[in-house]
Each structure stands twice: as structure tokens, then as C-alpha cells.
Amino acid sequence: MGTPGESALRKAADLLEAATSRGWTLAVAESLTGGLVSAHLVAVPGASAVLRGGVVAYATDLKESVLGVDGALLAERGAVDPDVARQMAQGVARVLGADVGLATTGVAGPDPQDGKAPGLVYVAVATPGRTEVRELRLEGGRADVRDAACRHVLTLARVTISG
């Protein structure tokens, strides 16, 4: 899986290589990471052969209207939820016509959101065969949480694609 300190750029390159070897394309749905995952992917030369695009759905209503996350789920549990992450990953793959969808949702801090503590993050990866979701409890300030969420979703995607 790589070391925890391994750079997000290295993780992005590894993910793009894994997707290329499968002939798969990627799409990214980001909330708390605000485009950071997509930025790391496009920093890798040749990313355009794999990356279809990304959606920064920072506002909760965009998760429903753009990505197709169930509105009742959002109303009941809020945006920081494993099923929301799952639906975000599946939705961005569908909307952008990609084989694989990555998603991040969580609380970067410094304040809680919808009663959820800073550092609570869900990352998800949807492939043609399965969807994987992970709950993370991340430490540090806002930038630390966002950076760690980015590294985690890139790693989860590479591992999920590689089978």
C-alpha cells in the first residue's frame, strides 16, 4: 500500500498506472478535499489518458443534484456518512462516464459539522465490480486532514483497481 508518508503525487502516479494497465478511466467526486485529489492526478504527465474529470460538490445539495446521492439519505444522516461516500463514487463514475469513481467526504475542521467531529472522513472507490468505502479518523489541522484524505483515497483506489 505504500508508506504513510509517501507523497500524494507518487500515489497518484501509481493509481494512474494501475488504471492504465486495466484500460480503465477515472472520475473524482470531492467534498472536503476541494479538488486536491484531482490536482494531484493532473500533476502526473499523461493523466489525460485516464482521468475523465472531477466534481467538487462542497455544498450538500450538489451531492444530490449533480452526483445523484439520495436526498433522503442526506437529510437523515448528513453529508459525512459512508453511504453518501459510496453514492458519490458511484454517481461521479456514472455522470462523467468513467469506469472508476473516487469520492471524499468528511470534516476537515476546525469545527464539527452536523454533529460530526473534525477528522472524521469517508473515502470511497467504485469500480465496475465493487465499491469500497473506508472510515478514517484523521489527526491534525485542516490541511493535515485534507492531505491525509487525499492520500488515503488514492491508495484505496490503486489497491481496489489492482484487485
Side-chain angles (χ1 to χ4, degrees):
M1 258 199 181
T3 62
E6 188 178 9
S7 78
L9 186 59
R10 178 74 251 155
K11 290 176 182 294
D14 290 346
L15 169 57
L16 290 167
E17 183 179 316
T20 299
S21 72
R22 297 289 298 259
W24 284 353
T25 56
L26 305 175
V28 184
E30 301 185 64
S31 187
L32 83 149
T33 50
L36 193 59
V37 176
S38 297
H40 281 90
L41 288 167
V42 301
V44 178
S48 61
V50 176
L51 182 64
R52 297 269 308 148
V55 172
V56 176
Y58 206 61
T60 299
D61 64 301
L62 292 178
K63 292 171 181 67
E64 179 181 5
S65 64
V66 175
L67 298 173
V69 175
D70 181 66
L73 172 66
L74 289 165
E76 179 184 329
R77 300 190 206 160
V80 183
D81 179 82
D83 292 327
V84 170
R86 175 184 313 280
Q87 289 185 22
M88 286 175 65
Q90 293 167 340
V92 78
R94 182 182 64 256
V95 169
L96 298 186
D99 299 297
V100 178
L102 286 66
T104 63
T105 187
V107 185
D111 300 317
Q113 177 185 329
D114 297 329
K116 310 238 170 96
L120 175 62
V121 172
Y122 294 96
V123 296
V125 176
T127 69
R130 65 184 183 176
T131 301
E132 296 289 332
V133 180
R134 297 289 183 273
E135 177 181 303
L136 308 171
R137 302 283 177 156
L138 303 171
E139 300 287 326
R142 184 174 175 78
D144 299 318
V145 169
R146 293 178 68 236
D147 288 341
C150 179
R151 289 192 311 273
H152 279 279
V153 78
L154 290 169
T155 298
L156 178 62
R158 182 184 53 78
V159 169
T160 303
I161 287 173
S162 298

